Amino acid sequence: MNSLLDVDQLRTFLAIVETGSFTRAAEIVHKTQSAVSMQMKRLEERLEHPIFVRDGRASKLTEEGERLLDYARRIIKLNVEALAAFSDAALTGRVRLGVPDDYADRYLPEIMARFSRAYPGVELSVICEPSIELMGRIEANELDLAIVTDCESNRPVESFRRERLLWGTSNRHTTHREEPLPLALGRPTCKWRELAIEALELIGRPYRVLYSSGNAGAVAAAVLAGLAVSVFPESGLRPGMRVLGASDGFPELPSCRIELLRNPQQQSALTDALSGHIISSLDNLSAASDAAE
C-alpha cells in the first residue's frame, strides 16, 4: 500500500460510524447513498480489509474498522487545523453559535480561545439556551451553528461526540437515600428529564421533582446544596458531586449524543471553520481527560 488515504472517504467513514447508517451519513456529507457506498468500497479496497459488517439494518465496524477509527479522527483533525492555519487572514465577519449551558462551562473556553486565536478578525457571538430553543433559533435564521443534544430535527446533523448520562448528587450529603427521592431537573421538554423519570418509574422508585429549571447552573446548585439529585452528562459533573450507580440503587442511563446543527441558509467558509474548531476542541478535551485518567 503506497498511496495515501482519501480524506473525503475518511470523513464519510466517520459520519457512518457516528450515525450507524449509510443513509443518514449521506445526508451529513451531502452525497447520495450510492456515492457513500462506493466511497466505502474504495476505502476497503485501499486497506485490503472489510471495515463494515451488516447487523440487520445497521452497519457495525469490523475489528479492522475499529482500528481505522482512531486514525481517521486524527487525520481529519489535522486536516482541519492545517487548512485553518493557511486561511486565517482571509476570514472576517460574524458567526453566531448556540450552546446549551450544560456544556458552556466545559466546552466554550476552549472553543472560543482557539477560534479567536486563529481568526482574530471574526466576531463570535454566543447564545446559551436549551437545545430545543437553539433548534428554533436555527429555524428562524438567528444562529449559524448550534451544539445540541440528541437533536430530533428533520435537518441533517453531525453527531461528533457521545457521553455517558449519569446520576449526580452532593458528596457531602445523603440526599440520594431520601424517600421520595427529591429531583432537580430541566423543564418538561428536557429529554434528560424524561429519561430520568422513566428510569425511576421502571424500578418503582418514588420521586418528586423538587426543582425544575432550564438553567444548568441552577440545577447544579440545588444538587451541590444537598437539596436534590439530578442527571448530568459526564462533562457536566462539577467539583463537589459524586456519581450514583447500581450499588446506590440507581439504574443505568443511556448515553447522549452531542451534535452539531447547521443553518442551511448560512453555509460559508466561516461556519465551516467554526465547526472544524468545535470538533477539534472537543477532541482535545477528550484527549486531556483520557490522559488524566
Side-chain angles (χ1 to χ4, degrees):
M1 293 192 299
N2 296 319
S3 61
L4 300 176
L5 292 173
D6 185 291
V7 173
D8 191 45
Q9 290 175 1
L10 293 178
R11 285 193 62 201
T12 301
F13 167 69
L14 291 179
I16 297 169
V17 171
E18 294 293 347
T19 61
S21 163
F22 277 57
T23 302
R24 191 67 169 151
E27 296 176 352
I28 291 174
V29 298
H30 307 293
K31 298 181 186 297
T32 64
Q33 186 173 345
S34 60
V36 166
S37 297
M38 181 57 68
Q39 279 193 311
M40 292 305 95
K41 180 181 179 182
R42 289 175 178 169
L43 182 56
E44 289 180 326
E45 290 173 350
R46 176 86 290 278
L47 296 170
E48 299 179 356
H49 287 286
I51 55 177
F52 286 107
V53 62
R54 298 296 298 179
D55 182 14
R57 293 187 177 182
S59 298
K60 287 192 173 183
L61 290 175
T62 62
E63 183 177 347
E64 290 79 9
E66 292 284 358
R67 289 170 56 196
L68 176 63
L69 183 57
D70 180 58
Y71 289 110
R73 284 173 171 160
R74 284 187 281 165
I75 290 169
I76 295 300
K77 174 185 172 183
L78 286 173
N79 183 267
V80 169
E81 291 182 353
L83 290 173
F86 290 93
S87 61
D88 296 347
L91 292 180
T92 58
R94 178 170 176 258
V95 62
R96 304 164 298 174
L97 172 66
V99 185
D101 60 358
D102 306 86
Y103 302 130
D105 291 344
R106 173 70 168 154
Y107 298 153
L108 269 184
E110 173 77 6
I111 293 171
M112 294 178 73
R114 286 170 57 87
F115 188 74
S116 296
R117 285 196 301 267
Y119 305 99
V122 175
E123 176 189 347
L124 176 59
S125 176
V126 180
I127 292 177
C128 293
E129 289 181 347
S131 292
I132 192 167
E133 295 184 16
L134 295 177
M135 290 163 58
R137 286 186 177 271
I138 288 283
E139 294 283 348
N141 197 24
E142 296 174 357
L143 289 173
D144 304 309
L145 291 166
I147 298 173
V148 296
T149 303
D150 291 325
C151 176
E152 295 180 355
S153 169
N154 292 325
R155 296 188 184 281
V157 295
E158 184 174 356
S159 181
F160 61 90
R161 184 181 174 91
R162 186 177 291 273
E163 288 200 9
R164 292 184 297 165
L165 197 59
L166 304 168
W167 296 98
T169 189
S170 165
N171 61 15
R172 298 185 297 108
H173 301 84
T174 58
T175 316
H176 60 289
R177 297 177 183 169
E178 295 181 17
E179 295 286 349
L181 178 70
L183 296 174
L185 299 171
R187 288 178 287 197
T189 54
C190 176
K191 181 65 175 179
W192 298 348
R193 174 180 174 137
E194 294 177 14
L195 291 172
I197 289 175
E198 287 175 5
L200 291 174
E201 290 181 344
L202 191 62
I203 64 171
R205 175 75 185 269
Y207 67 87
R208 58 182 178 131
V209 180
L210 193 60
Y211 296 93
S212 180
S213 175
N215 182 277
V219 170
V223 171
L224 290 170
L227 301 174
V229 168
S230 189
V231 292
F232 301 92
E234 191 169 9
S235 65
L237 292 170
R238 309 194 180 196
M241 292 183 184
R242 81 173 182 91
V243 174
L244 298 167
S247 61
D248 302 295
F250 283 79
E252 184 176 353
L253 294 167
S255 60
C256 60
R257 296 190 310 274
I258 304 176
E259 301 167 333
L260 194 62
L261 182 61
R262 300 171 183 263
N263 183 341
Q265 303 178 60
Q266 299 295 333
Q267 297 295 318
S268 66
L270 194 52
T271 56
D272 287 344
L274 179 55
S275 65
H277 272 264
I278 289 170
I279 295 171
S280 179
S281 294
L282 266 65
D283 281 345
N284 284 346
L285 287 174
S286 295
S289 177
D290 291 343
E293 293 175 0

